[in-house]
Amino acid sequence: MPRKTELSRKLQQRAEKVIPGGVDSPVRAFRAVGGDPPWIVRGNGTLLWDADGNQYLDYVGSWGPLILGHAHPEVTRAIEAAARSGASFGASTPLELELAEAVVAAFPVIEKLRFVSSGTEATMSAIRLARAHTSRKYIVKFEGCYHGHADSLLVKAGSGVATLGIPGSAGVLDELAQFTLALPYNNVAAVEQAFAKFKDQIACVIVEPVVGNMGCVPPVAGYLEALRAITKNAGALLILDEVMTGFRVAFGGAQQLYGITPDLTTLGKIIGGGLPVGAYGGRAEIMDKVAPLGPVYQAGTLSGNPLAMAAGLATLKHLRAHPEIYTRLESLAGVLVEKVSAAAEAAGVKLTANRVGSMFTWFFQSGKVSDWDSAAKSDTAAFGKWHRAMLERGVYLPPSQYEAAFLSNAHTEDDVRETVEAARESFKSL
Ligand code: KE4
């Protein structure tokens, strides 16, 4: 019995009259997988319900924030309590101080941080700060890594390695893009080449320490250590963009998992518990350059918003009180990824999986996926067909081959069994 989609489709058609593509973020339009995007009206725990009343088992989790699942009672109660005292004051509140202290306690390398309202604001500010701190113009990012939509970061590789970047979006100026070098991920030689060619001119390297935005791609052994050594030697800052990995792959993020000490860290998603929060932080000698203390300007009307701080604080308090959650997520996600991969193999479907903790991706190809070039070899049409088949069976996966999926602490062994069974049937339908 195919899913009813009439009401979602009507909402989508109405929305397209007043919102570009009918969505407030492009990936939600389901262009990469086809079909009508469900319009979600409610979530609870692992479940989502759409406007037509269809129920889904959710593996997107709002793209990472909801490690505790939807509408977790402790988070909901915290938001309700904060809301009763007023939504926003444009003044300092004890809640933002409490959350800042909780983040600093979990990330020892962060002596000071500044809250903003999105991951984009966090990385944009970190880049500006790195350029000011080093008085250098160039930055290094990696193909397949996404750090939000600031102009300097919407840049793709020029022709050949270590050449000037070219705009990755209309509206980004060539004159600005040229100062971003976009290099292949997991390739140390390319970084060494860039630092040799642009000696003493590179302000920072920004990297997803575990990539989520080309699908899940872990760092190869020694890669992050090499980035740390090269940047330290060159007087450049290492920025770990932990918007996705922070409090996800470990309570102290990828820097705890891999033992890397960055100069700046960007955070988001989980620290907002589902509400809009980003943050950037690092050593005081760097952060003290930010206004009003120093010359780097950055501001935000809703930065440190009390409702968002309350949601983030409740989330981090729960994670801190229950460290066993990370062991449980590691084990349950391992079972899920392995059993779905086995189901694909049994159905003769080429699939390769990458996973770090509770973030993972099944790539529709048989090769190893370690960078953008290898990820891009995936059969996106087959992924789209599988995504639609899983949606029909009530499993809500990220609507793009090049996104990470997430397990939450609300997921159970029964959810995994149900998902594996849906996958088994879906592979047969390909
Ligand atoms: P936001 O501006 O979307 O809050 O964060 C940007 C960002 C920065 N850094 C990393 C590592 C990120 O993953 C993101 C945003 N992630 C995407 C999901 N791949 C957000 C989903 C969307 O764009 O709608």
Side-chain angles (χ1 to χ4, degrees), residues 25 27 63 118-120 146-148 208 213 241 243-244 269 403:
S25 202
V27 69
W63 302 101
S118 69
T120 294
Y146 175 72
H147 305 286
E208 289 185 64
N213 289 289
D241 179 357
V243 165
M244 191 180 282
K269 297 183 192 275
E403 291 286 358

Side-chain angles (χ1 to χ4, degrees), residues 152-205:
S152 281
L153 293 165
L154 284 182
V155 174
K156 54 190 184 191
S159 56
V161 176
T163 52
L164 305 184
I166 55 178
S169 162
V172 172
L173 300 180
D174 295 345
E175 293 82 352
L176 180 62
Q178 67 177 319
F179 294 113
T180 300
L181 309 173
L183 306 179
Y185 187 75
N186 272 331
N187 179 330
V188 173
V191 182
E192 287 167 339
Q193 219 177 318
F195 273 84
K197 185 173 179 182
F198 294 88
K199 190 168 172 43
D200 300 335
Q201 299 176 72
I202 297 174
C204 64
V205 167

Side-chain angles (χ1 to χ4, degrees), residues 267-404:
L267 294 165
K269 297 183 192 275
I270 290 175
I271 66 167
L275 270 64
V277 180
Y280 64 103
R283 291 195 306 280
E285 53 135 346
I286 304 173
M287 291 304 293
D288 284 352
K289 289 195 167 73
V290 177
L293 276 187
V296 179
Y297 193 71
Q298 178 268 309
T301 303
L302 295 175
S303 297
N305 172 269
L307 275 59
M309 297 293 105
L313 197 55
T315 302
L316 265 53
K317 278 180 178 173
H318 188 91
L319 291 168
R320 192 170 56 201
H322 301 280
E324 72 281 4
I325 286 176
Y326 290 97
T327 316
R328 178 174 182 273
L329 288 175
E330 171 62 33
S331 161
L332 192 57
V335 169
L336 170 67
V337 170
E338 278 147 34
K339 291 199 168 185
V340 168
S341 299
E345 192 174 1
V349 174
K350 286 185 183 152
L351 204 70
T352 188
N354 283 346
R355 179 180 69 82
V356 177
S358 57
M359 60 187 275
F360 52 89
T361 299
W362 293 287
F363 293 95
F364 274 65
Q365 61 164 291
S366 51
K368 187 174 170 359
V369 178
S370 58
D371 59 14
W372 173 245
D373 283 353
S374 48
K377 293 188 173 81
S378 302
D379 181 344
T380 53
F383 176 84
K385 209 170 167 201
W386 185 61
H387 184 279
R388 292 193 298 276
M390 291 291 271
L391 205 58
E392 283 305 318
R393 290 171 174 79
V395 178
Y396 190 86
L397 295 168
S400 164
Q401 171 68 93
Y402 305 121
E403 291 286 358

Side-chain angles (χ1 to χ4, degrees), residues 7-265:
L7 295 180
S8 277
R9 189 176 307 119
K10 279 185 177 157
L11 286 165
Q12 180 67 24
Q13 287 161 354
R14 209 173 107 200
E16 285 170 5
K17 294 187 176 71
V18 289
I19 304 173
V23 291
D24 285 315
S25 202
V27 69
R28 303 179 192 173
F30 274 44
R31 294 283 170 100
V33 293
D36 294 305
W39 278 60
I40 304 303
V41 295
R42 187 165 77 90
N44 194 288
T46 56
L47 298 177
L48 293 172
W49 289 269
D50 71 12
D52 293 280
N54 299 300
Q55 176 184 296
Y56 304 98
L57 189 49
D58 180 26
Y59 287 99
V60 177
S62 181
W63 302 101
L66 301 179
I67 193 168
L68 301 182
H70 292 280
H72 188 282
E74 291 169 26
V75 178
T76 305
R77 268 199 301 276
I79 297 170
E80 286 170 341
R84 274 194 286 274
S85 300
S88 178
F89 311 109
S92 298
T93 69
L95 278 167
E96 65 204 89
L97 173 54
E98 264 194 83
L99 185 58
E101 288 171 339
V103 172
V104 165
F107 283 75
V109 77
I110 297 180
E111 292 176 340
K112 290 189 178 181
L113 63 84
R114 170 64 64 82
F115 287 118
V116 292
S117 297
S118 69
T120 294
E121 273 193 273
T123 56
M124 174 176 71
S125 308
I127 295 290
R128 182 181 309 137
L129 178 56
R131 282 172 159 153
H133 181 72
T134 60
S135 304
R136 297 177 180 182
K137 288 182 180 178
Y138 290 88
I139 66 171
V140 168
K141 77 173 290 291
F142 298 94
E143 288 279 84
C145 288
Y146 175 72
H147 305 286
H149 61 88
D151 281 8
S152 281
L153 293 165
L154 284 182
V155 174
K156 54 190 184 191
S159 56
V161 176
T163 52
L164 305 184
I166 55 178
S169 162
V172 172
L173 300 180
D174 295 345
E175 293 82 352
L176 180 62
Q178 67 177 319
F179 294 113
T180 300
L181 309 173
L183 306 179
Y185 187 75
N186 272 331
N187 179 330
V188 173
V191 182
E192 287 167 339
Q193 219 177 318
F195 273 84
K197 185 173 179 182
F198 294 88
K199 190 168 172 43
D200 300 335
Q201 299 176 72
I202 297 174
C204 64
V205 167
I206 184 167
V207 65
E208 289 185 64
V210 176
V211 185
N213 289 289
M214 54 174 125
C216 178
V217 174
V220 298
Y223 179 64
L224 296 177
E225 292 79 353
L227 293 184
R228 177 63 288 178
I230 292 167
T231 47
K232 193 180 284 290
N233 185 40
L237 299 188
L238 177 61
I239 303 174
L240 290 191
D241 179 357
E242 296 226 45
V243 165
M244 191 180 282
T245 54
F247 297 98
R248 167 62 64 180
V249 297
F251 190 68
Q255 55 197 264
Q256 175 191 324
L257 191 64
Y258 296 100
I260 298 292
T261 305
D263 299 295
L264 290 174
T265 301

